[in-house]
Amino acid sequence: MRYWLVNLQLENKLALVSGSTAGIGFAIAKALAAEGAQVIINGRTEQRVNGAISSLRAKLPSARLEALAMDLSSAEAVAETVRRFPAVDILINNLGTYEPKPFEEITDGDWSAILETNFMSGLRLSRHYLSRMKASGWGRIIFISSESAVNIPVEMIHYGVTKTMQVALARGLAETTAGTGVTVNSVLAGPTRSEGVEKFITDLAKTNKVSSVEVEKEFFNTARPSSLLRRFAAPDEVAAMVAFVASPLASATNGAALRAEGGVVRSIL
């Protein structure tokens, strides 16, 4: 099954998608594989990675997939990754975590942990792969950021800060790619129906003895009232934009913070 009416020209491209066993990362891996790219599936455990690969092959029997069971929040894991895969054509920095916590209770350890996962993982991978992409004359690096990069959430300020850092890094790296055929962009995802969100909705519905539909409606009435979509986006909806930006067809898009956030951010730019 193909997902677009045009050929995104991704055949024989090698893509690494960090944190791709579920949610947006899994959807991105699926979209790239459906377009003919060879995709490296990454997760923290072999069980998660093998499960994701089995699920993808059930949907896309001809998919070309590689397994990478490593926690890319550590420098050692990144070093082993680049040893095993010295060059990739497409790098999707999707690995991320979040935790609602009052600012006063966010410890130095909490800050270090979320910075290593959400920011340093992508920085380290980009530091290795960007120069190789420039040397080859083509490449794509995409950071999966969030509308929280613009609308810093008061309930998890540290998460929002890391998402802003991703956007800044992507723009800075893009400045180094002039005339090379390489692009670096960020995609600002909005509230998306990932595993964590699905559990949040289900648990809250059970606790309050209401339906999941009512929970979702209340969330957008109170927590994200500026949303124009008025619902959680499906991971595939975010992945569609990422797949296009990863393709040769998006060669004129560089240094951009692209929004797939359902209109939550009230800004014309």
Side-chain angles (χ1 to χ4, degrees):
M1 177 179 178
R2 300 188 76 85
Y3 294 85
W4 292 272
L5 297 176
V6 296
N7 178 1
L8 293 185
Q9 303 172 17
L10 291 174
E11 292 85 356
N12 301 316
K13 301 293 188 186
L14 177 61
L16 167 56
V17 185
S18 67
S20 46
T21 59
I24 292 173
F26 180 84
I28 292 169
K30 180 176 64 173
L32 296 176
E35 287 295 325
Q38 182 179 2
V39 184
I40 303 165
I41 305 300
N42 166 247
R44 290 184 173 87
T45 68
E46 289 187 5
Q47 181 180 7
R48 291 280 290 181
V49 171
N50 291 338
I53 287 176
S54 295
S55 180
L56 283 170
R57 286 203 168 122
K59 297 177 175 69
L60 303 165
S62 62
R64 295 181 299 149
L65 308 170
E66 300 281 350
L68 180 64
M70 288 189 185
D71 182 355
L72 294 179
S73 66
S74 79
E76 295 77 15
V78 170
E80 176 60 19
T81 295
V82 300
R83 186 192 68 80
R84 288 174 54 183
F85 302 99
V88 300
D89 302 298
I90 299 165
L91 171 62
I92 310 294
N93 290 311
N94 171 73
L95 180 64
T97 187
Y98 63 92
E99 178 192 21
K101 201 169 193 179
F103 171 73
E104 293 81 1
E105 297 175 16
I106 304 173
T107 66
D108 285 0
D110 294 331
W111 277 104
S112 294
I114 201 167
L115 282 166
E116 288 289 320
T117 301
N118 292 10
F119 181 70
M120 291 303 298
S121 61
L123 183 152
R124 292 181 180 121
L125 289 167
S126 300
R127 184 166 55 201
H128 174 82
Y129 288 121
L130 181 59
S131 61
R132 277 109 184 130
M133 291 177 180
K134 289 177 184 177
S136 71
W138 195 90
R140 297 286 184 265
I141 296 178
I142 302 171
F143 289 82
I144 306 305
S145 183
S146 165
E147 53 92 9
S148 293
V150 180
N151 297 328
I152 304 294
V154 68
E155 73 276 10
M156 45 183 183
I157 290 172
H158 53 340
Y159 171 77
V161 168
T162 63
K163 295 287 115 177
T164 306
M165 291 171 69
Q166 286 182 312
V167 176
L169 177 60
R171 178 66 206 192
L173 296 182
E175 292 290 338
T176 75
T177 67
T180 65
V182 179
T183 67
V184 186
N185 295 286
S186 55
V187 171
L188 279 60
T192 306
R193 196 176 279 273
S194 62
E195 273 187 336
V197 167
E198 198 69 57
K199 185 177 185 302
F200 162 77
I201 293 173
T202 301
D203 290 348
L204 197 59
K206 287 180 180 178
T207 300
N208 295 337
K209 298 180 180 179
V210 296
S211 69
S212 295
V213 173
E214 290 174 286
V215 169
E216 184 169 5
K217 182 178 180 181
E218 181 62 18
F219 176 84
F220 284 98
N221 283 338
T222 58
R224 296 293 187 274
S226 61
S227 171
L228 303 179
L229 189 61
R230 307 302 292 168
R231 63 169 173 80
F232 290 104
D236 286 346
E237 292 176 301
V238 179
M241 174 179 282
V242 176
F244 172 74
V245 177
S247 77
L249 278 62
S251 57
T253 302
N254 197 7
L258 302 160
R259 290 160 49 180
E261 36 71 53
V264 172
V265 178
R266 283 177 168 162
S267 171
I268 62 172
L269 296 174

